[in-house]
Amino acid sequence: MTEDRTPAVAENPEAGGEEQPQEFKGRKNGLYSGVSDELAASMKSGWADTELHGLEPVAQAPYAAERRARLSAAYPGERLVVPAGNLKVRANDSDYSFRAASEYVHLTGDQTEDAVLVAEPTGDAGHVFGLYLLPRSDRENGEFWLDGYGELWVGRRHSLAEQEQLLGLPARDVRRAAEELADRAKSGTVPTRIVRGHDAGLEAALADVLDADKDAEFKEFLSGLRLVKDEWEIGELRAACAATVNGFTDVVRELGQAVATSERWIEGTFWRRARVEGNDVGYGSICAAGAHATTLHWVRNDGAVRPGELLLLDAGVETHTLYTADVTRTLPINGRFSELQRKIYQAVYDAQEAGIAAVKPGARFRDFHDASQRVLAERLLAWGLLDPSLYDVEKVLELGLQRRWTLHGTGHMLGLDVHDCAHSRREEHVDALLVPGMVLTVEPGLYFQEDDLTVPAEYRGIGVRIEDDILVTADGNENLSAGLPRRAEDVEAWMASLA
């Protein structure tokens, strides 16, 4: 990383051309103490006009407009503020990669930091929507080369005019947003709601007019707005699953290097595919070999990869538009399941089959979970891990005794977030009926901890999960991640073909 970002004296365009000190983000111990008048003058001139014209709207623009229309209908007469969020510091003066808030992305198709979508109510119970965005960095005041977030440091931003063409919304300079919104909110009687947790500066500016309960309900609504995917979103999830299949294939081809190194090789191999075909991974990849597979969210990925053990790989590619897959396969590292591994794997496969079969329009969201858990409870009884002289399957499920080894729910909604729609109202999500366009995971598992004295020693340290991304269709369901084999014999044949 290059070293110096110095402050400068620059022209303030709002001060009538008068020279004003302009402070930009720089390092305390930078090597340059300032900018000469001659250098400042040189940097202001000699640059080509790079403004882009005739841009086509982004693919999701018409779909985002439909979502905004539904939002407008739900909150007549109210001002609605949806921030994208700000950069977060990783260490000192380096930031984490920015990921815009899902609510903002869903309603705009934009992914830029510091941005804000605002819906201003109109007299006819509708809204006028507009964006606050960062314009291109200023060449007159030196921002483009002196500021740590200037164009020559982090890359070119779209101009406001370009963004208007791409997104189909009017755009203003976001550096005016807090003041302008606060003035509007305080000078009128229009109630204001904001999606909290993404932009502390905006929340502080509007603090006097906000209501925490109303803001929480607003977040619930926006989360619920994503429960049913439109055709464009389904296409993005298909692409995410296809790229994820390629990532799993890469991993199997490179298992030899993972055996020679560690789980980190698996993580890096999948991440490379995610960056080549998409934006990133949709969540921290779980590359759990051996007993690490019994830890549900094992993301340290620093363990050994040993032939004879299992690899539980839970990973998903996030598309350039931020829709993510979420797929898990449990693979025999040497390409062949042992007898016990196969028995446990088959139980989880049968449970997943039962769960997938329960995904259809009109079914309860809970049905696929109940179907999968029933199969696993039956196997635990048949294996004697639960005493059949004390319990039948109904009693096991009533008491939740199978959860010692199944641990988690059998699936969740999927979309812009890996656990999508998580803030939606319970009655329209967990307690609701499935409808076409919903996308969810079905992911049963069995996990026998290394220190679990209630199971035979040979079970200990074995973890198995199988997960697929399932679209609810008009007549049933479609497995979007079916490109990866699931049956034990098919997994073995697939791995052999890639060796």
Side-chain angles (χ1 to χ4, degrees):
M1 179 179 285
T2 51
E3 179 271 338
D4 197 26
R5 310 179 192 193
T6 51
V9 174
E11 182 178 317
N12 183 340
E14 295 185 358
E18 183 178 340
E19 292 291 319
Q20 297 287 331
Q22 179 70 50
E23 291 293 331
F24 295 120
K25 179 179 183 288
R27 287 192 175 92
K28 178 180 179 182
N29 291 306
L31 294 177
Y32 292 107
S33 59
V35 176
S36 68
D37 291 342
E38 292 78 5
L39 177 57
S42 171
M43 293 301 290
K44 286 183 182 181
S45 63
W47 304 102
D49 180 5
T50 60
E51 183 74 8
L52 303 175
H53 303 279
L55 297 175
E56 293 295 323
V58 296
Q60 62 266 52
Y63 299 95
E66 291 177 9
R67 299 164 199 157
R68 293 194 298 271
R70 292 167 60 193
L71 172 62
S72 177
Y75 293 98
E78 297 191 52
R79 178 180 297 110
L80 308 172
V81 181
V82 184
N86 315 124
L87 290 167
K88 292 181 172 59
V89 174
R90 182 180 185 274
N92 189 29
D93 58 355
S94 61
D95 299 314
Y96 287 104
S97 296
F98 180 71
R99 204 287 194 181
S102 295
E103 297 92 345
Y104 175 83
V105 174
H106 190 239
L107 292 168
T108 65
D110 180 48
Q111 299 178 31
T112 55
E113 67 268 20
D114 300 328
V116 189
L117 173 69
V118 178
E120 283 290 341
T122 61
D124 60 357
H127 289 82
V128 173
F129 285 88
L131 291 170
Y132 281 102
L133 300 166
L134 278 171
R136 288 192 64 186
S137 51
D138 198 322
R139 290 181 181 262
E140 284 298 309
N141 68 7
E143 176 193 3
F144 78 110
W145 74 287
L146 291 171
D147 184 63
Y149 299 109
E151 192 168 294
L152 297 193
W153 288 95
V154 299
R156 184 189 189 278
R157 294 192 291 265
H158 282 299
S159 70
L160 297 185
E162 290 168 354
Q163 290 281 42
E164 289 180 344
Q165 295 174 67
L166 291 168
L167 304 174
L169 288 165
R172 294 174 59 78
D173 189 333
V174 74
R175 289 168 292 194
R176 303 172 181 169
E179 181 180 359
E180 290 185 359
L181 287 172
D183 287 346
R184 272 183 254 163
K186 293 172 183 176
S187 62
T189 59
V190 174
T192 300
R193 298 188 193 229
I194 191 171
V195 181
R196 299 196 183 209
H198 300 302
D199 195 316
L202 273 181
E203 290 178 35
L206 295 170
D208 292 343
V209 298
L210 294 177
D211 180 289
D213 290 337
K214 289 183 177 179
D215 291 345
E217 190 279 332
F218 185 37
K219 189 176 184 72
E220 281 186 343
F221 174 85
L222 291 176
S223 190
L225 194 62
R226 304 203 304 272
L227 280 165
V228 179
K229 273 57 180 178
D230 57 42
E231 60 179 353
W232 180 85
E233 292 179 289
I234 293 168
E236 290 301 292
L237 288 168
R238 288 188 195 281
C241 287
T244 297
V245 169
N246 292 338
F248 274 72
T249 303
D250 294 340
V251 167
V252 172
R253 285 194 172 118
E254 298 192 15
L255 273 179
Q257 288 96 321
V259 170
T261 52
S262 75
E263 295 164 342
R264 292 284 168 90
W265 191 278
I266 296 165
E267 179 181 9
T269 298
F270 188 87
W271 181 80
R272 180 179 66 234
R273 177 64 65 175
R275 289 290 283 166
V276 167
E277 290 200 29
N279 176 60
D280 207 331
V281 290
Y283 53 96
S285 298
I286 299 166
C287 308
H292 288 163
T294 67
T295 300
L296 298 183
H297 287 171
W298 176 261
V299 293
R300 298 179 202 171
N301 299 335
D302 58 1
V305 180
R306 303 181 184 91
E309 296 184 335
L310 298 176
L311 166 67
L312 190 157
L313 177 58
D314 184 337
V317 173
E318 178 185 78
T319 66
H320 293 292
T321 57
L322 307 186
Y323 285 79
T324 187
D326 181 8
V327 178
T328 306
R329 289 295 183 268
T330 304
L331 309 171
I333 293 166
N334 64 4
R336 300 286 295 180
F337 290 102
S338 71
E339 183 178 350
L340 179 59
Q341 289 169 351
R342 186 182 298 272
K343 181 176 82 166
I344 296 170
Y345 185 94
Q346 187 64 44
V348 175
Y349 173 82
D350 292 343
Q352 194 200 27
E353 282 284 276
I356 293 173
V359 175
K360 53 191 173 184
R364 298 181 309 151
F365 179 84
R366 296 174 177 274
D367 286 350
F368 73 91
H369 167 73
D370 293 344
S372 291
Q373 291 294 300
R374 177 173 293 275
V375 171
L376 295 178
E378 289 170 347
R379 299 302 167 87
L380 292 167
L381 284 164
W383 298 342
L385 304 185
L386 289 168
D387 189 343
S389 70
L390 297 176
Y391 309 105
D392 60 13
V393 68
E394 301 300 336
K395 196 64 176 178
V396 168
L397 294 170
E398 177 190 341
L399 299 175
L401 298 179
Q402 83 286 358
R403 292 178 60 188
R404 181 182 178 101
W405 302 288
T406 66
L407 294 177
H408 55 80
T410 310
H412 51 80
M413 292 295 182
L414 185 68
L416 275 169
D417 294 339
V418 66
H419 297 142
D420 207 28
C421 314
H423 298 282
S424 58
R425 293 190 292 271
R426 191 174 186 87
E427 57 270 24
E428 63 180 11
H429 188 161
V430 177
D431 294 336
L433 301 182
L434 299 178
V435 300
M438 289 181 169
V439 180
L440 52 88
T441 68
V442 179
E443 51 174 313
L446 282 173
Y447 312 93
F448 300 104
Q449 307 301 321
E450 281 189 296
D451 58 351
D452 188 350
L453 301 181
T454 69
V455 301
E458 60 268 25
Y459 283 73
R460 298 172 197 163
I462 295 178
V464 174
R465 180 164 67 251
I466 311 171
E467 177 181 18
D468 284 273
D469 301 343
I470 310 299
L471 167 67
V472 183
T473 63
D475 57 358
N477 68 68
E478 178 188 349
N479 186 346
L480 300 180
S481 49
L484 282 176
R486 291 186 297 125
R487 294 192 307 166
E489 56 268 35
D490 293 338
V491 168
E492 290 176 333
W494 173 64
M495 294 182 70
S497 73
L498 298 172

